[in-house]
């Protein structure tokens, strides 16, 4: 089948490789343009761009699509059977959605209609959902509103991190998109009830609000690392919290309840187990506290 692939981050790479290995003719790979990265701010291609180059596939990196008639015409000229979209990062205009004969199929990392939007994997962990999954849907102009073709669910355990869930869902997405292209399942409209949205995350979403319940804060640590990262402030520094556990304890929100990083929350307490100072290596709490003490009574911002 002649397809275009449209994706940018690591999440999309397994699907691109699966489509290539299955023998589909990938006429073009679309991804976000290279961006400055690292200390030298060198222009760096995204993971899908790098994977496409490794596979010898042609890559297009338009900065925008909405009103770019030239891009619309170039896309239509590819004469596609289908386009596969996975965390691409740009909204496809109607002219592009309508161009492939079987439409544009999206690999969405949630069990739609729950968690439409930009950050569904993070949102599922933040909300304490018991499961997440992949939905293959046929795209339309609305935000993740298109009819569903296939679904597969996975449980979210009490220790599931966003990275582990991300990697599992990426594998499932690769498998399901091959199945959808091979079987062409009948589309099923999304139900009107149960719709929730997962907005794009910002750095400030990582600030730990100690007035919240300890369980909610522990989920936030699991959901937002490595990006945007969870943190508190103390002595003018932003200290990253990379792992934590709900623990017994009762005290003022944000106050250290002992000398071993047990912090009071709105309800219960949170034991910080892995931390990182700016410009320093991440450390388990015991090693961290030898160089940066948090004595009982210290109040974290």
């Amino acid at each position: 089948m002649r397809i275009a692939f449209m994706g940018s981050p690591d999440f999309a790479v397994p699907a691109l490789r699966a489509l290539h290995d299955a023998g589909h003719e990938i006429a073009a790979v679309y991804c976000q343009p290279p961006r400055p990265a690292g200390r030298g701010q060198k222009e760096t291609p995204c993971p899908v761009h790098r994977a496409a180059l490794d596979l010898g596939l042609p890559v297009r990196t338009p900065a925008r699509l909405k009103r770019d008639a030239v891009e619309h015409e170039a896309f239509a000229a590819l004469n596609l059977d289908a386009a596969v979209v996975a965390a691409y990062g740009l909204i496809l205009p109607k002219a592009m959605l309508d161009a492939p004969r079987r439409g544009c199929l999206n690999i969405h990392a949630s069990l739609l209609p729950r968690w439409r939007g930009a950050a569904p994997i993070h949102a599922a962990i933040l909300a304490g959902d018991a499961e997440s999954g992949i939905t293959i849907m046929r795209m339309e102009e609305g935000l993740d509103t298109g009819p569903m073709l296939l679904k597969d669910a996975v449980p979210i355990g009490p220790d599931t991190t966003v990275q582990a869930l991300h990697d599992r869902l990426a594998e499932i997405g690769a498998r399901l998109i091959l199945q959808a292209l091979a079987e062409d399942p009948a589309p099923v409209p999304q139900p009107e009830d149960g719709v929730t949205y997962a907005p794009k995350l910002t750095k400030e979403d990582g600030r730990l609000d100690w007035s919240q319940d300890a369980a909610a804060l522990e989920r936030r640590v699991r959901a937002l690392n490595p990006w945007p990262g969870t943190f508190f402030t103390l002595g003018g520094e932003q200290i990253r919290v990379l792992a934590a556990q709900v623990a017994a304890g009762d005290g003022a929100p944000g106050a250290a309840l002992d000398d071993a990083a047990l912090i009071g929350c709105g309800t219960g307490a949170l034991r910080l187990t892995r931390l990182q100072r700016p410009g320093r290596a991440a450390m388990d709490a015991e090693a961290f506290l030898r160089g940066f003490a948090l004595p009982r009574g210290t109040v974290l911002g």
Side-chain angles (χ1 to χ4, degrees), residues 7-8 29-37 41-50 53 59-63 88:
S8 297
V29 174
Y30 283 74
C31 53
Q32 290 283 307
R35 302 278 166 77
Q41 291 294 286
K42 180 181 178 181
E43 292 286 318
T44 304
C46 69
V48 165
H49 193 156
R50 297 196 296 271
L53 294 178
V59 177
R60 297 181 66 90
T61 58
Y88 176 34

Side-chain angles (χ1 to χ4, degrees), residues 47-253:
V48 165
H49 193 156
R50 297 196 296 271
L53 294 178
D54 288 344
L55 297 171
L57 299 172
V59 177
R60 297 181 66 90
T61 58
R64 60 189 62 82
L65 293 174
K66 188 173 182 180
R67 294 184 178 87
D68 195 330
V70 173
E71 284 293 343
H72 302 173
E73 292 170 6
F75 188 74
L78 293 174
N79 191 29
L80 301 171
D81 294 307
V84 173
V85 183
Y88 176 34
L90 291 180
I91 296 174
L92 303 189
K94 190 174 189 304
M96 296 180 74
L97 291 172
D98 293 345
R101 284 178 284 278
R102 285 177 55 179
C104 297
L105 308 186
N106 181 238
I107 304 171
H108 187 75
S110 81
L111 299 172
L112 290 171
R114 187 161 178 80
W115 303 130
R116 295 173 180 174
I121 302 175
H122 307 77
I125 295 177
L126 281 170
D129 289 358
E131 63 178 4
S132 181
I134 289 287
T135 304
I136 306 295
M137 70 166 190
R138 183 169 296 154
M139 295 175 70
E140 56 185 30
E141 289 186 273
L143 178 64
D144 299 329
T145 58
M148 304 177 294
L149 304 179
L150 292 171
K151 274 187 176 184
D152 196 6
V154 294
I156 299 176
D159 299 319
T160 299
T161 63
V162 72
Q163 190 65 55
L165 184 57
H166 167 282
D167 293 350
R168 181 73 182 105
L169 294 181
E171 294 172 2
I172 294 171
R175 172 174 56 81
L176 285 191
I177 194 60
L178 293 180
Q179 183 181 343
L181 291 173
E183 299 177 0
D184 194 18
V188 176
Q190 293 187 37
E192 295 182 2
D193 58 334
V195 175
T196 55
Y197 290 92
K200 186 176 180 179
L201 295 168
T202 68
K203 178 69 177 175
E204 192 60 23
D205 288 313
R207 183 181 295 276
L208 294 172
D209 178 357
W210 301 109
S211 68
Q212 293 183 356
D213 177 85
L217 289 172
E218 188 274 336
R219 291 196 302 270
R220 183 163 294 269
V221 172
R222 283 189 287 121
L224 301 188
N225 281 301
W227 194 91
T230 48
F231 65 92
F232 62 85
T233 57
L234 184 65
E237 290 189 32
Q238 278 194 2
I239 310 299
R240 292 192 65 179
V241 178
L242 304 177
Q245 297 173 346
V246 175
D250 184 27

